[in-house]
């Protein structure tokens, strides 16, 4: 039996290198087992994962601490200890969790457990490749040994890029919803910028597994853009598109949490949001 202590001493049990990787595996577990957990059990699982951010996928939090946090967050409407333990058993059965008993350092008696989130065995690497394929390409570093011909080509490309940037909103692609274009054009009357903002909205929706029709994405995009404009008015924002992406990503992430708060709603394995985000650590 392991001796309990600070969570840092269990860092060797972590199987993940980033929050994004941990979140992808958690979504894979839940999507692959959409009917395993009840709504109350999902709340317990969601709360447990929030304690797995410091050491990715690992926590030695006490059950009482988790139950108290849930009760406070839901205004006294928490879950029972038996419900939480039932969730742990189910998570162990499907392979999501590994649970190790811990002992107190001085007395040697039973302490809290160590919860270790496991990697999903059938996690498709193609998911990551697909996400990477829609990520904005990184800027190529200039090679000081390029020939004059290549430099001339680059200059021509820059001129062509500049010409495209001058196109106003009337040249925006039809794939961008009209409502979004109508709003953005008042602040950025540039087809390329409007299309890039909408592209970020689609990427955020995809990463958060927001598998809803395009019309459902529009309200999130409009609200996020308005918050972006408000921020720009208050202080200089050097990268408005990146700022917009962070806001809308957080909104899609929060959508899952809001579903759990509405206890009467039906949980769908096809709509899982991030369990963890840097803003909640």
């Amino acid at each position: 039996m392991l001796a309990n202590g600070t969570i840092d001493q269990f860092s060797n049990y972590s199987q993940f290198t980033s929050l994004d990787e941990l979140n992808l595996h958690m979504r894979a577990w839940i999507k692959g087992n959409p009917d395993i957990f009840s709504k109350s059990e999902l709340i317990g699982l969601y709360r447990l994962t929030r304690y797995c951010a410091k050491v990715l996928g690992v926590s030695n939090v006490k059950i009482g601490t988790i139950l108290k946090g849930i009760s406070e967050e839901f205004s006294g409407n928490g879950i029972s200890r038996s419900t939480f333990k039932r969730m742990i058993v189910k998570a162990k059965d499907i392979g999501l969790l590994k649970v190790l008993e811990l002992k107190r350092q001085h007395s040697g008696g039973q302490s809290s457990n160590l919860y270790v989130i496991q990697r999903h065995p059938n996690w498709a690497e193609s998911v990551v490749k697909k996400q990477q394929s829609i990520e904005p390409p990184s800027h190529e570093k200039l090679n000081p040994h390029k020939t004059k011909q290549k430099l001339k080509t680059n200059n021509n490309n820059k001129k062509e890029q500049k010409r495209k940037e001058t196109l106003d909103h009337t040249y925006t692609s039809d794939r961008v919803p009209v409502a979004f274009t109508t709003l953005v054009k008042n602040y950025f009357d540039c087809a390329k910028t409007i299309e890039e903002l909408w592209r970020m909205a689609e990427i955020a929706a995809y990463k958060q597994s927001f598998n809803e029709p395009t019309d459902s994405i529009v309200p999130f995009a409009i609200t996020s853009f308005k918050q972006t404009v408000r921020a720009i008015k208050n202080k200089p924002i050097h990268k408005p598109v990146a700022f917009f992406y962070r806001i809308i990503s957080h909104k899609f992430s929060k959508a899952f949490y809001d579903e759990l708060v509405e206890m009467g709603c039906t949980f769908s394995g096809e709509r899982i949001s991030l369990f963890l985000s840097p803003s909640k650590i």
Side-chain angles (χ1 to χ4, degrees):
M1 187 181 294
L2 298 171
N4 203 351
T6 62
I7 188 60
D8 293 320
Q9 75 183 53
F10 301 110
S11 59
N12 59 308
Y13 286 91
S14 175
Q15 301 181 24
F16 306 96
T17 58
S18 68
L19 282 174
D20 285 341
E21 184 183 26
L22 173 56
N23 288 325
L24 286 171
H25 279 267
M26 285 300 300
R27 286 203 298 270
W29 280 114
I30 302 300
K31 280 189 173 183
N33 303 273
D35 302 319
I36 293 293
F37 301 103
S38 67
K39 299 184 189 74
S40 297
E41 290 165 355
L42 278 170
I43 292 175
L45 178 60
Y46 171 76
R47 191 75 185 190
L48 174 61
T49 58
R50 291 175 65 178
Y51 287 94
C52 295
K54 186 173 183 180
V55 175
L56 296 173
V58 182
S59 176
N60 61 347
V61 62
K62 296 179 180 179
I63 295 179
T65 301
I66 292 178
L67 299 181
K68 180 181 178 182
I70 294 174
S71 179
E72 291 175 350
E73 199 160 0
F74 288 85
S75 303
N77 298 313
I79 66 174
S80 67
R81 180 177 289 266
S82 60
T83 296
F84 184 83
K85 288 185 174 181
R86 190 164 55 247
M87 177 276 292
I88 295 296
V89 171
K90 290 180 179 180
K92 288 171 59 178
D93 287 343
I94 64 176
L96 190 162
L97 275 182
K98 183 177 181 181
V99 181
L100 302 175
E101 292 185 353
L102 299 176
K103 64 179 179 181
R104 295 184 176 88
Q105 289 183 338
H106 302 295
S107 66
Q110 170 70 43
S111 180
S112 59
N113 292 322
L114 183 70
Y115 302 102
V116 183
I117 297 176
Q118 304 295 295
R119 297 177 68 86
H120 193 279
N122 299 322
W123 182 59
E125 296 294 339
S126 60
V127 173
V128 176
K129 292 179 180 179
K130 184 175 181 181
Q131 288 181 341
Q132 291 174 342
S133 69
I134 62 176
E135 288 284 4
S138 59
H139 294 289
E140 181 184 2
K141 294 183 179 180
L142 292 177
N143 186 338
H145 302 293
K146 284 184 177 180
T147 64
K148 291 183 178 180
Q149 181 60 39
K150 288 184 178 179
L151 290 173
K152 184 177 180 180
T153 301
N154 287 339
N155 289 333
N156 289 337
N157 289 338
K158 288 180 179 179
K159 290 179 180 179
E160 178 67 14
Q161 185 71 12
K162 184 65 177 178
R163 184 187 67 80
K164 291 181 179 179
E165 288 178 354
T166 60
L167 297 178
D168 63 22
H169 71 278
T170 60
Y171 292 88
T172 303
S173 170
D174 290 339
R175 69 179 179 82
V176 181
V178 175
F180 186 69
T181 300
T182 301
L183 172 65
V184 178
K185 73 175 184 180
N186 296 318
Y187 303 92
F188 300 103
D189 193 10
C190 171
K192 186 178 184 301
T193 302
I194 296 172
E195 290 171 0
E196 185 66 9
L197 285 165
W198 180 250
R199 180 167 169 264
M200 291 300 101
E202 291 181 319
I203 291 175
Y206 175 80
K207 277 198 167 185
Q208 309 300 329
S209 296
F210 190 81
N211 301 320
E212 301 290 342
T214 299
D215 291 344
S216 299
I217 301 177
V218 175
F220 287 89
I222 288 177
T223 302
S224 300
F225 181 74
K226 287 182 177 179
Q227 291 186 13
T228 301
V229 171
R230 183 178 183 276
I232 293 174
K233 295 293 185 181
N234 291 331
K235 63 179 180 179
I237 303 294
H238 299 295
K239 296 181 179 180
V241 174
F243 188 87
F244 168 80
Y245 177 75
R246 288 197 298 270
I247 292 177
I248 196 169
S249 292
H250 177 70
K251 288 187 178 298
F252 283 131
S253 177
K254 188 175 180 294
F256 172 73
Y257 175 77
D258 289 341
E259 272 193 0
L260 294 183
V261 173
E262 297 173 2
M263 296 295 291
C265 70
T266 301
F267 178 80
S268 170
E270 293 302 317
R271 182 179 174 185
I272 307 296
S273 188
L274 284 178
F275 283 82
L276 295 167
S277 64
S279 62
K280 292 182 179 180
I281 299 176

